[in-house]
Amino acid sequence: MALQVEFRDVTKAFPGTPPAVDRLSLTVEAGTILALVGPSGCGKTTTMKMVNRLIEPSSGDIVLGDTPISRMPVKELRRMIGYVIQYVGLFPHMSVAENIAIVPRLLGWNKPRIDARVDELLTLVGLVPQTHRARYPRNLSGGQQQRVGVARALAADPPVLLMDEPFGALDPITRVRVQDKLLAIQGKVRKTIIIVTHDMDEAIRLGDKVAVLRAGRLVQHEAPVDILRHPKDAFVAELIGHDRLVKLLSTLSVASVMSADAAPADTPSINRAATLEGAFLRMLDTGSDALAVEGGGSLHIRDLLRVSTG
Ligand SMILES: Nc1ncnc2c1ncn2[C@@H]1O[C@H](COP(=O)(O)OP(=O)(O)OP(=O)(O)O)[C@@H](O)[C@H]1O
């Protein structure tokens, strides 16, 4: 189950400073990932912490499903929200299984139910129950610890997941792997996920929508491909960086721009699900300016050059 999260004109002003979050209105549709991105101090974490009421808004409200969170008991609200943070926060003296079982135990589940859930979640996040259940966090790699953090947040099957710079402490290669894992998990569990990151690449990879914040204001809120195609202003363009076209090519699939025209015989082929970046590399490797799409249709280098304008 997933629930929509709607910010309705939400402002948070800490005393003596300009608002950390300034009249934010946006909707995260049920079962989708919103990536909140922006430079340090733009209000990402404050926005996220208002969802589980670690911070109370100065004005406005956040609506979960059709219930304003200001009307929900905090305990009940937090039970509906899994929370993953950068340094995981696993308890070092508890085994992996005990860490994952914390919320189910608080909810009074019986032992067989907890054991079954722990094993199910370890499998879901790509760890082997028999091997990892009894280990302690110090005996896991950073990426594995982060996955246990995700498993723990999902333990009681909350409809909403909040992730604050969850992969910030991981090296770049592990980071991409864990991002892929998260997308695979999301394919199965379909939660409403809000993820905070200062890394535009991560936002583009993970978000169904990306919300760009600057000084507490929402600058742009669109699908990654639309942000890449039409950055709203110089600030968003700068966050994207100089390789906008490459990012766009790695975001779009062959299927999204191919034509139905048949390719000439002996044209090298490509899968419909491949990225345009992959297709471009294949064109370079084969020296062919067109590719036959497996199952019918073709992709021409012209199609690649058109993508930046959509
Ligand atoms: N408890 C607080 N008291 C006063 N000011 C605060 C408090 N928490 C946050 N702020 C201020 O609100 C603004 C937004 O902070 P926030 O932590 O939401 O930004 P962020 O985008 O998550 O930054 P970072 O990427 O560095 O974590 C900052 O100017 C910060 O100094």
Side-chain angles (χ1 to χ4, degrees):
M1 205 224 349
L3 283 177
Q4 173 176 296
V5 180
E6 184 187 352
F7 294 82
R8 287 191 187 158
D9 204 22
V10 175
T11 292
K12 176 66 193 183
F14 295 104
T17 54
V21 176
D22 196 0
R23 288 167 288 161
L24 176 69
S25 291
L26 70 82
T27 299
V28 192
E29 282 162 38
T32 67
I33 301 181
L34 174 77
L36 277 176
V37 68
S40 184
C42 70
K44 306 180 294 289
T45 300
T46 305
T47 301
M48 171 163 284
K49 286 185 172 171
M50 286 192 286
V51 178
N52 58 7
R53 289 181 62 185
L54 286 172
I55 294 178
E56 297 286 353
S58 311
S59 62
D61 210 343
I62 298 168
V63 182
L64 205 62
D66 46 21
T67 314
I69 63 170
S70 55
R71 291 208 215 118
M72 295 167 78
V74 171
K75 243 173 124 177
E76 190 182 310
L77 172 72
R78 300 226 176 117
R79 226 180 283 145
M80 298 173 77
I81 300 176
Y83 192 37
V84 184
I85 52 173
Q86 179 166 353
Y87 292 102
V88 194
L90 296 179
F91 295 106
H93 303 299
M94 287 184 174
S95 69
V96 163
E98 287 165 340
N99 267 286
I100 296 174
I102 290 171
V103 175
R105 276 173 56 185
L106 286 175
L107 296 176
W109 295 12
N110 63 29
K111 188 166 171 359
R113 185 174 172 204
I114 293 178
D115 289 348
R117 182 70 179 149
V118 165
D119 286 2
E120 180 188 19
L121 286 162
L122 283 173
T123 307
L124 177 73
V125 300
L127 297 171
V128 181
Q130 291 80 343
T131 316
H132 293 107
R133 208 192 280 130
R135 285 212 187 154
Y136 284 84
R138 66 176 174 279
N139 300 324
L140 299 174
S141 71
Q144 289 172 334
Q145 289 184 29
Q146 196 50 262
R147 287 195 251 165
V148 174
V150 173
R152 185 175 64 178
L154 289 171
D157 206 19
V160 175
L161 203 57
L162 303 179
M163 309 182 84
D164 195 350
E165 294 274 1
F167 311 133
L170 303 177
D171 67 81
I173 292 173
T174 308
R175 189 170 174 143
V176 169
R177 247 190 247 141
V178 181
Q179 288 169 347
D180 284 343
K181 192 74 211 169
L182 176 68
L183 291 174
I185 293 169
Q186 170 69 343
K188 294 185 188 143
V189 299
R190 289 275 165 227
K191 301 293 178 190
T192 307
I193 300 180
I194 302 180
I195 183 162
V196 158
T197 177
H198 62 266
D199 175 1
M200 189 56 131
D201 288 348
E202 181 161 273
I204 287 167
R205 268 178 82 79
L206 295 180
D208 294 298
K209 293 269 184 71
V210 174
V212 182
L213 292 179
R214 181 188 197 184
R217 297 263 181 94
L218 182 63
V219 181
Q220 189 165 7
H221 173 220
E222 280 183 281
V225 63
D226 296 319
I227 294 209
L228 289 171
R229 277 191 175 134
H230 307 291
K232 176 99 177 266
D233 58 17
F235 172 76
V236 179
E238 195 180 324
L239 276 183
I240 294 170
H242 298 300
D243 49 352
R244 188 171 71 89
L245 188 59
V246 176
K247 285 178 181 147
L248 197 50
L249 292 180
S250 67
T251 306
L252 291 167
S253 67
V254 167
S256 68
V257 300
M258 59 181 273
S259 76
D261 304 342
D266 298 330
T267 308
S269 66
I270 186 98
N271 193 286
R272 300 167 59 88
T275 64
L276 293 183
E277 188 186 18
F280 182 54
L281 291 174
R282 182 123 174 85
M283 287 178 186
L284 288 180
D285 284 347
T286 58
S288 170
D289 61 3
L291 298 173
V293 179
E294 290 163 14
S298 60
L299 181 76
H300 196 273
I301 192 148
R302 279 191 309 270
D303 302 321
L304 298 186
L305 299 174
R306 265 201 307 264
V307 298
S308 72
T309 51

